[in-house]
Amino acid sequence: MAQTSSALACDVRRVHPDAVEAARARLTERAGALDGARALFAALGDPTRLRLLAALQGGPLCTCDLAATLGVTESAVSHQLRGLRALRLVASDRDGRVVYHRLDDAHVGALLDVAAEHVAEAGE
């Protein structure tokens, strides 16, 4: 059920200094992690990168297979994979002249699963 803006605002304007101080301290302590999370969510916010990761949830695919699956060029796939590898979302392994790509670890698949579950809950 959607909340109205009045349901999200306090009826009484009162700042709780201890709560504000604690929240600011948490933000300061987690600044580096939050920057990393921002980059991760930015990567997941791109439709092509998100589809690429979802395709890799089924198992490793080579660059050609990813391009065919997504309906984009191999160059576009390679470009997207560079950024995903930099964020440690995707890992690549060479088998002779073919490069296979896979999700870097179980956390990546779990992120996609949790996001899909959250979206499904919103539709209920």
Side-chain angles (χ1 to χ4, degrees):
M1 175 165 144
Q3 294 183 334
T4 64
S5 61
S6 63
L8 299 175
C10 299
D11 290 332
V12 177
R13 173 130 168 74
R14 178 174 178 255
V15 174
H16 301 83
D18 293 344
V20 171
E21 184 179 330
R24 285 182 177 164
R26 279 192 303 276
L27 289 175
T28 300
E29 291 168 7
R30 300 182 69 196
L34 291 173
D35 283 344
R38 181 206 47 78
L40 175 107
F41 287 125
L44 295 176
D46 178 87
T48 301
R49 288 189 292 256
L50 187 58
R51 292 176 60 227
L52 196 150
L53 292 170
L56 292 174
Q57 274 191 291
L61 293 167
C62 72
T63 307
C64 299
D65 291 343
L66 281 168
T69 300
L70 272 62
V72 298
T73 65
E74 291 175 38
S75 176
V77 167
S78 294
H79 173 75
Q80 297 297 346
L81 287 169
R82 274 191 292 281
L84 294 172
R85 272 196 309 272
L87 291 168
R88 294 184 13 233
L89 295 172
V90 170
S92 302
D93 303 300
R94 182 173 290 280
D95 184 12
R97 294 174 46 174
V98 180
V99 178
Y100 289 94
H101 311 282
R102 59 183 165 74
L103 298 182
D104 189 69
D105 62 28
H107 293 108
V108 180
L111 280 169
L112 298 173
D113 290 341
V114 168
E117 183 180 327
H118 180 71
V119 170
E121 286 176 355
E124 294 175 355

